[in-house]
Amino acid sequence: MSKSFVFLLLGVVLISGLRLALAAAEVHVMGIAEYAVLIPVVASALLPVRQTMIVGLFNLAAAIALYGVLLRDMGPANQITVITALAVGLIISVAVCRIRVAGERRFRRLMIARERLALLSEASSRVGSTLDAVRTAEELTEVAVHRFADHATVDLFASVLQGEEPVLRPGTGDVTLCRTAASGSPAPPGDLRPGETVTYRERAEATLGLFTGEPMMLEITDTAGAASVPADPGDAGTNGPHSALAIPLRARGATLGAALFTRSPGRAPFDADDLLLAQEIAARAAVCVDNARRYTGEHNTSLALQRSLLPLVVSRQPAVEAATRYLPAGLFAGVGGDWYDVIPLSGARVALVVGDVVGHGVQASASMGRLRAAVRTLADIDLPPDELLTHLDDVVTRHRDVGGAGAVAGEIVATCLYMIYDPISRRCTAARAGHPPPAVLRPGSDVEYLDIPAGPPLGVGGLPFETAEVELPAGTRLALYTDGLIESPEHSLDQGLEHLQKALSEPIASLEDLCDHVLHTVAAEQSRDDVALVIARTRELDGTHAAAWDLTEDLAEVAHARDLASSRLEGWDLGELAFTTELVISELVTNAIRYGSAPVQLRLIREDTLICEVSDASNTAPHLRRARMFDEGGRGLFIVAQLAERWGTRQRHDGKTIWAEIALPDGLHRTHGCV
C-alpha cells in the first residue's frame, strides 16, 4: 500500500473532522466543502485507478454521512449540490486517472522498446568486432549482462572453434559443447568456467532447442527445474536464477552452439518480447561466429599448405649442423610466404636458403612453393649464388608476364638469401635479393652481420646480383632469418637487429634451444608477419676425410690415379670399394685428360658417401649418351652413371668439376670425424 494512498485517506478524515468541529463551534468558513473535491483530483494524479476509486468513494461516503446525516442544518439544495459535485469529481478523477495510467503504460512501452533498440544497436556494433569465435562469444555475453540478463553464457561445439562445421544428428544422446564465454557477477553456484566442457542432457529442453533450432523460455521454480539448464546454475533460492532463455546459435543452416541468459528473483522474469530480442541478438552473433569459424578454417588450410611446402625434417649435413623454425603470423594477419631450406650440394657442400614472398594468404603460400621448388632445381645444377638469384628473378618475371598486368597471381615480389658453405675450404659464398643480411658468430668473437651486397628484390629487376665470399672457422654460427623476426611496430629496424644480436650472443650450446630462445626474445607476440629462421653451426672436413692430387695431361696418369685412390681407400677401411672406385676414376680422369685442359685434379671425400671429383680447366661439360653397338667410345659416363648413386657437373670460374657419389658399405654410412 503506497504512502500517497494512506495520506489521501487521512486527508478525507481530517477535512471531515474539521467540518464537524467548525459546525459544533458554529463557525462558518466559506469554501470548506470544496476542499473535499480536491482529494480525488489529487488521487488521480498520484494513484492507480483502483486506489483512486477507493479514495473517491471514501470521500463521497464521508460527505454523505457528514452533510446528509450529521449536518442537517444545511439546506437540501446545498446538500445535493455538494454531494453531486463530489460524485462528479469522483467520475472525472477516475477518468483522468485511467488516461494518465494508459499514457504511462504507453510511455513505459516506448521506453522499453527504445532500450531494446539501443541494446540491439549496441550488440550489432560490439559483437563480431574480430574474426575470433571466442572473442565474439565474450562480446555477446558482455552486451547481454546487466541490461538484459543477470548472467549469460555461450557454449559452442569444439569443431566450431577449430574452424570446422559441426555435425548434429538427432538421437545421438547427450551433446557435449565447450563453455566459450561467461559473464555476470556473481556467477550462479556451480557454474562452469570458460574452456570447460558442458553436457546438454538428451531430453533437456535446451538440448531439444539445439536440434529443432527453436528458442526455449525456462521458468525455474525448484532444484529440478534448475537442473534442466545446461549451465547448472544451482538452486532456485535467492541466489539462483528463476527465469532463463536458451537460444540456439544458428547460421547458414548449421547449429553452432547455444546462448543461455538467466535472471535472478530480484528481477522480472523474461517475457515474449525478451525472447524475440534474445533471438535477434543471438542470430546476429551466430553469423559473426560462423564468419569467424570460416576464417579459422581457411587460415588452418592456408597454414597446412604453408607447412606442407616447407621441409618436414632437415636431414643431417656433413657441412653444417642446422636447426630451423617457422613461426606463422597472428590469426588475423593471414598466412605469409616465408620459407627456408637446407639443400645438400655436391662435394659435401650445403646451401642455406631463406626467402619471403610479399603478401599474405593462400596466394603467397602457393608462390612460396613455386619459388622454393625453383631454388631446389637451380641448386641441383650447382649454380653460384648470384647466377641462381638471376635465374630465380627470371622465373618471377616470366610468371608475372604470363599472368598479365592485371592478374593478382602475377604480382609477385619476393626476397631471398642464398648461401653456399664448403666444409673443406671453409669458404662461404652468399648473395641476397632485397633480404636482410645474415648474422655470424665466429668462435671467440661478437655477433656481426655479413657485408653482402644488397640486390633488388625478386621480380623488380634492373640491377645485377653480387656475391660475397668469406672464410669461416669451424664452429661458426650462421643465422638466416626473414624480416618478420626483426620488424615490429614497437621498435625500429635497427633495434630489432640489436635484439637479434643480443639473443644470438647467449651461450646456448644446443641449436634447437637457441632457435627457441631467439623466437621467444626477439619475435613479437601475435606478429603481423610470419618468421622463418635457420641457425647453422659450420663444420670442417680435414685431411682425414678428404684427399686431393694434381695430375698431368698424360694418359699414363690414369693408372697412377687408380693407385692413389686405392691406397687412400685402404687407409679409410674401404677396400671393398676399390674396384668400383677405380673404374669410376678411370673414366673421369681419362675424359679430363683427353677432352679437358690442364691443370687436372683428383679429389676423394669420405663422408656419408664416397665422393670422387675430377676437375680441369675446361668449361665444356660432358653429356651422357647411349653408345651404339659398334661405337668405340661413348660408354664412359654411362658406366659411371650405373656404378654411382649420383653424378653431375659443377661449373667453376676456372673450369669445371665432374663428380660421382658411391654408396658406402652397410654400417659405414655415417661418420663423426668432422670438426
Side-chain angles (χ1 to χ4, degrees):
M1 184 178 297
S2 66
K3 294 181 179 179
S4 299
F5 178 65
V6 176
F7 287 156
L8 289 174
L9 291 178
L10 291 176
V12 173
V13 175
L14 289 176
I15 292 177
S16 300
L18 179 61
R19 183 69 183 85
L20 285 175
L22 292 175
E26 296 182 354
V27 177
H28 298 279
V29 179
M30 296 298 296
I32 190 64
E34 283 75 4
Y35 287 106
V37 181
L38 296 178
I39 293 178
V41 175
V42 175
S44 66
L46 299 177
L47 303 178
V49 176
R50 183 186 298 273
Q51 293 182 356
T52 299
M53 185 174 293
I54 293 174
V55 171
L57 291 175
F58 183 70
N59 186 49
L60 182 61
I64 293 173
L66 182 64
Y67 297 108
V69 178
L70 300 178
L71 301 178
R72 294 181 176 273
D73 57 342
M74 181 180 291
N78 292 333
Q79 293 178 351
I80 294 174
T81 300
V82 172
I83 294 174
T84 302
L86 293 176
V88 172
L90 172 61
I91 296 173
I92 295 175
S93 299
V94 172
V96 171
C97 183
R98 293 178 63 89
I99 294 174
R100 177 186 61 80
V101 171
E104 290 178 350
R105 290 176 179 174
R106 285 194 299 270
F107 180 76
R108 190 180 300 110
R109 286 196 294 266
L110 289 175
M111 293 302 298
I112 293 175
R114 182 177 180 180
E115 292 179 359
R116 288 173 174 170
L117 286 176
L119 179 60
L120 187 60
S121 176
E122 182 181 358
S124 301
S125 60
R126 289 185 56 185
V127 178
S129 61
T130 65
L131 288 173
D132 184 358
V134 175
R135 182 54 191 156
T136 300
E138 292 174 350
E139 291 169 344
L140 173 59
T141 59
E142 292 170 359
V143 167
V145 167
H146 301 313
R147 295 182 61 181
F148 181 73
D150 293 322
H151 193 264
T153 60
V154 174
D155 303 324
L156 299 177
F157 287 97
S159 57
V160 173
L161 301 176
Q162 299 169 0
E164 303 173 0
E165 184 171 348
V167 179
L168 185 63
R169 298 186 180 90
T172 56
D174 296 345
V175 180
T176 300
L177 287 84
C178 178
R179 175 60 48 84
T180 309
S183 295
S185 180
D191 191 22
L192 300 176
R193 297 179 179 178
E196 297 181 344
T197 300
V198 56
T199 301
Y200 281 61
R201 300 302 177 186
E202 182 177 6
R203 299 184 181 276
E205 291 180 284
T207 308
L208 296 177
L210 286 177
F211 290 110
T212 62
E214 297 295 329
M216 297 290 178
M217 184 183 301
L218 310 175
E219 294 296 334
I220 305 173
T221 58
D222 53 16
T223 304
S228 65
V229 180
D232 192 18
D235 59 21
T238 57
N239 295 326
H242 75 120
S243 182
L245 294 178
I247 311 296
L249 297 178
R250 290 180 57 84
R252 301 179 178 96
T255 300
L256 309 175
L260 181 69
F261 308 102
T262 59
R263 285 182 179 176
S264 60
R267 194 169 182 175
F270 292 111
D271 55 20
D273 292 336
D274 293 326
L275 182 62
L276 292 176
L277 178 61
Q279 282 184 269
E280 183 67 23
I281 296 176
R284 300 191 181 195
V287 173
C288 296
V289 170
D290 191 56
N291 291 338
R293 177 192 66 81
R294 290 170 177 261
Y295 178 83
T296 302
E298 293 178 1
H299 182 271
N300 292 340
T301 301
S302 301
L303 188 59
L305 172 64
Q306 172 85 346
R307 292 191 180 278
S308 68
L309 296 175
L310 293 173
L312 299 179
V313 179
V314 177
S315 59
R316 176 189 178 274
Q317 303 294 331
V320 296
E321 175 191 359
T324 60
R325 290 292 186 275
Y326 173 74
L327 182 65
L331 178 64
F332 308 116
V335 177
D338 291 14
W339 89 91
Y340 64 85
D341 213 340
V342 180
I343 307 173
L345 302 178
S346 62
R349 300 171 305 142
V350 67
L352 305 175
V353 193
V354 290
D356 181 8
V357 176
V358 177
H360 295 276
V362 177
Q363 180 62 42
S365 298
S367 300
M368 177 274 292
R370 288 192 294 266
L371 291 183
R372 178 172 175 262
V375 169
R376 275 197 162 260
T377 302
L378 296 171
D380 194 52
I381 58 179
D382 274 322
L383 291 178
D386 55 341
E387 294 185 22
L388 184 141
L389 292 181
T390 300
H391 285 284
L392 194 62
D393 183 65
D394 292 339
V395 170
V396 175
T397 303
R398 286 197 302 269
H399 180 75
R400 181 183 59 217
D401 295 340
V402 172
V408 176
E411 299 174 358
I412 299 177
V413 176
T415 65
C416 183
L417 171 63
Y418 187 82
M419 306 180 69
I420 296 177
Y421 175 72
D422 188 342
I424 298 178
S425 65
R426 295 185 287 107
R427 305 292 295 179
C428 178
T429 307
R432 62 189 178 113
H435 203 84
V440 58
L441 176 61
R442 296 178 174 87
S445 301
D446 297 329
V447 177
E448 58 181 343
Y449 293 98
L450 292 181
D451 185 14
I452 304 174
L458 301 174
V460 175
L463 293 174
F465 300 100
E466 301 180 38
T467 60
E469 187 171 351
V470 62
E471 183 174 343
L472 300 176
T476 299
R477 291 181 181 178
L478 289 169
L480 293 76
Y481 52 91
T482 55
D483 56 3
L485 180 63
I486 57 175
E487 290 183 352
S488 173
E490 301 175 357
H491 55 71
S492 64
L493 181 60
D494 292 338
Q495 290 176 327
L497 293 173
E498 293 177 0
H499 294 164
L500 179 58
Q501 281 183 305
K502 183 178 180 181
L504 292 173
S505 301
E506 294 295 330
I508 302 176
S510 171
L511 296 186
E512 298 290 340
D513 294 341
L514 183 58
C515 282
D516 295 335
H517 173 71
V518 169
L519 292 181
H520 178 71
T521 57
V522 181
E525 294 184 5
Q526 296 296 321
S527 174
R528 297 180 180 180
D529 198 3
D530 48 350
V531 176
L533 176 65
V534 177
I535 299 181
R537 182 186 291 117
T538 62
R539 292 170 172 154
E540 179 185 4
L541 297 182
D542 54 17
T544 61
H545 288 78
W549 303 275
D550 293 327
L551 305 176
T552 63
E553 289 186 283
D554 187 354
L555 290 177
E557 285 286 87
V558 176
H560 181 54
R562 288 197 298 264
D563 293 339
L564 292 173
S566 178
S567 175
R568 180 47 60 102
L569 291 179
E570 291 294 335
W572 285 341
D573 295 329
L574 297 176
E576 57 186 292
L577 295 180
F579 177 77
T580 302
T581 305
E582 290 177 4
L583 186 56
V584 170
I585 289 177
S586 296
E587 297 298 336
L588 297 183
V589 173
T590 300
N591 283 342
I593 294 176
R594 181 172 295 176
Y595 304 109
S597 306
V600 179
Q601 185 186 66
L602 169 64
R603 186 168 73 169
L604 295 181
I605 304 173
R606 180 186 186 274
E607 235 305 310
D608 288 346
T609 59
L610 178 63
I611 304 173
C612 305
E613 293 185 347
V614 176
S615 304
D616 66 84
S618 173
N619 290 321
T620 304
H623 298 282
L624 179 65
R625 66 182 181 89
R626 185 179 296 275
R628 291 176 293 184
M629 182 177 296
F630 299 104
D631 290 346
E632 295 183 359
R635 297 178 175 84
L637 288 181
F638 181 77
I639 295 174
V640 172
Q642 296 300 312
L643 296 177
E645 280 192 338
R646 298 170 59 228
W647 76 279
T649 302
R650 180 171 72 249
Q651 294 291 337
R652 299 180 291 112
H653 68 280
D654 57 350
K656 68 177 183 297
T657 298
I658 304 176
W659 55 271
E661 293 184 2
I662 302 174
L664 298 180
D666 294 339
L668 297 176
H669 286 284
R670 178 161 296 188
T671 60
H672 301 278
C674 52
V675 178

